[in-house]
């Protein structure tokens, strides 16, 4: 019985750390069923433009209900990353990019509607990186571009309430890792999603800076994308295969937040890289206890 008592003890400590099994996939049944067989605590939907046609939206809506019916209550809907060949950038100005602007506007409102209807979360990117500079150049200066982004996020935050969160980018519009920028973000009282790799890349692979950022923003973080990186480019590596110091990251995480492993998969219908990451983090948490 001593053995079982000590097992319960270690389980309690791990549970205090809440190492959730968070998996990501699309609204396609094959991907969902692959993830569900592992009984995830959290499921995050990858969406694209096809999910926002009338039929696509109905399909997405039913896919969320299906995941809920299988006992997963913590669900996040990731705003589509692409509009045609370009990223769905919130900083793209309406005047110069009316179609892109409208796409971001309409899809965000659709996601908010779905999130409120089914009591789930939607995630919007504060920015991406590839084309952001092109859009920033449409403004008189970087500060004006940042202000435009904040104005839009303020509006989305008001519309989404407790169902919306904003994720950090590797662009100077909405990046974590710079304390002054973080203070500005915190002053808006946004519900935040924290992508560990984005912050790490923005900081050129600085682990102390990453941990500082995690601690600074901790109270407003509601969701994490746990993903490793070499700290140079967007590489989305399994945990333990990049340069992020996960032993240092673990104590900095908000225990009330949800999380998923946002890892590149070699096969979209097999989430093994996400599961490997979970096994790695769980072992690390046990070792820390």
């Amino acid at each position: 019985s001593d053995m079982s008592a000590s097992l319960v003890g270690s389980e309690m400590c791990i549970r205090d750390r809440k190492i959730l099994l968070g998996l990501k996939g699309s609204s396609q049944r094959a991907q969902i069923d692959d993830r569900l067989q592992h009984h995830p605590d959290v499921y995050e939907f990858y969406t694209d433009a096809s999910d926002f046609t009338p039929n696509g939206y109905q399909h997405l809506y039913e896919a969320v209900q299906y995941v809920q019916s299988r006992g997963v209550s913590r669900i996040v809907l990731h705003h589509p990353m692409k509009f045609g060949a370009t990223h769905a950038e919130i900083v793209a100005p309406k005047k110069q990019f009316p179609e892109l602007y409208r796409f971001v506007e309409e899809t965000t409102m659709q996601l908010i509607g779905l999130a409120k209807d089914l009591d789930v979360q939607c995630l919007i990117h504060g920015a991406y990186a590839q084309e952001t500079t092109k859009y920033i150049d449409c403004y008189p200066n970087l500060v004006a571009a940042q202000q435009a982004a904040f104005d839009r996020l303020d509006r989305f935050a008001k519309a989404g309430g407790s169902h919306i969160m904003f994720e950090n980018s590797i662009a100077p519009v909405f990046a974590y890792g710079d304390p002054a920028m973080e203070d500005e973000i915190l002053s808006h009282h946004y519900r935040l999603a924290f992508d560990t790799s984005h912050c790490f890349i923005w900081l050129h692979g600085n682990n102390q800076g990453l941990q500082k950022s995690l601690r600074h923003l901790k109270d407003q973080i509601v969701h994490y994308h746990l993903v490793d990186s070499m700290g140079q480019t967007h590489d989305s590596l399994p945990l333990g295969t990049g340069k992020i110091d996960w032993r240092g990251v673990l104590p900095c995480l908000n225990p009330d937040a949800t999380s998923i492993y946002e890892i590149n998969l070699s096969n979209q219908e097999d989430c093994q890289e996400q599961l490997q990451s979970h096994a790695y983090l769980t072992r690390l948490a046990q070792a820390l206890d």
Side-chain angles (χ1 to χ4, degrees):
S1 70
D2 287 349
M3 178 73 179
S4 64
S6 69
L7 272 175
V8 169
S10 73
E11 236 181 66
M12 284 301 293
C13 296
I14 296 157
R15 200 175 302 128
D16 290 345
R17 289 188 193 284
K18 285 202 179 69
I19 306 295
L20 300 175
L21 175 57
L23 301 177
K24 185 171 185 176
S26 72
S27 57
Q28 290 169 359
R29 180 59 68 92
Q31 288 190 32
I32 292 175
D33 285 340
D34 168 68
R35 312 309 189 252
L36 287 176
Q37 67 180 325
H38 306 291
H39 306 290
D41 300 297
V42 186
Y43 186 87
E44 182 171 314
F45 280 91
Y46 166 91
T47 69
D48 60 32
S50 67
D51 290 304
F52 295 89
T53 63
N55 287 346
Y57 188 72
Q58 184 63 31
H59 176 257
L60 178 62
Y61 201 99
E62 287 165 7
V64 173
Q65 290 178 307
Y66 173 65
V67 172
Q68 287 176 322
S69 76
R70 298 288 302 276
V72 182
S73 60
R74 288 174 278 196
I75 295 172
V76 178
L77 299 160
H78 192 300
H79 188 256
M81 292 174 61
K82 290 289 194 80
F83 173 66
T86 185
H87 280 81
E89 284 281 4
I90 62 144
V91 77
K94 185 176 185 177
K95 197 171 141 222
Q96 290 96 323
F97 301 94
E99 281 136 356
L100 173 55
Y101 187 91
R102 193 168 63 242
F103 174 78
V104 170
E105 203 67 26
E106 288 172 358
T107 52
T108 299
M109 291 308 163
Q110 279 179 284
L111 274 188
I112 289 171
L114 204 166
K116 287 184 170 179
D117 274 1
L118 299 180
D119 194 19
V120 296
Q121 295 288 319
C122 63
L123 179 155
I124 310 295
H125 259 262
Y128 288 94
Q130 284 83 342
E131 304 97 7
T132 315
T133 47
K134 176 176 94 178
Y135 302 129
I136 290 171
D137 290 344
C138 299
Y139 296 90
N141 51 47
L142 177 58
V143 174
Q146 288 170 334
Q147 191 53 54
F150 281 123
D151 288 347
R152 204 169 186 194
L153 292 178
D154 286 348
R155 207 158 41 74
F156 290 157
K158 196 170 176 214
S162 61
H163 295 277
I164 197 167
M165 60 178 83
F166 303 122
E167 182 184 341
N168 56 316
S169 69
I170 315 172
V173 174
F174 197 81
Y176 305 158
D178 167 11
M181 173 66 124
E182 290 174 1
D183 283 337
E184 175 66 33
I185 289 168
L186 288 170
S187 75
H188 289 258
H189 305 290
Y190 296 142
R191 301 172 76 249
L192 302 176
F194 194 115
D195 184 302
T196 53
S197 72
H198 292 170
C199 181
F200 193 61
I201 295 162
W202 175 255
L203 292 168
H204 308 293
N206 179 338
N207 270 297
Q208 294 315 113
L210 172 62
Q211 290 168 31
K212 193 176 165 191
S213 180
L214 283 164
R215 287 195 299 268
H216 188 201
L217 298 172
K218 185 176 183 175
D219 292 346
Q220 286 185 35
I221 297 169
V222 296
H223 186 59
Y224 294 95
H225 282 170
L226 301 176
V227 47
D228 216 331
S229 172
M230 298 307 281
Q232 304 302 316
T233 55
H234 201 262
D235 40 9
S236 303
L237 302 174
L239 274 59
T241 66
K243 291 187 172 173
I244 289 181
D245 169 19
W246 293 101
R247 193 179 295 269
V249 162
L250 265 176
C252 302
L253 301 179
N254 183 336
D256 298 322
T258 52
S259 59
I260 61 139
Y261 301 102
E262 196 182 43
I263 316 295
N264 281 340
L265 302 178
S266 46
N267 170 10
Q268 293 305 326
E269 289 178 19
D270 180 358
C271 65
Q272 61 170 322
E273 292 91 345
Q274 295 174 11
L275 297 172
Q276 286 160 7
S277 295
H278 183 63
Y280 171 84
L281 204 59
T282 306
R283 280 196 307 273
L284 194 58
Q286 285 165 324
L288 285 174
D289 292 332

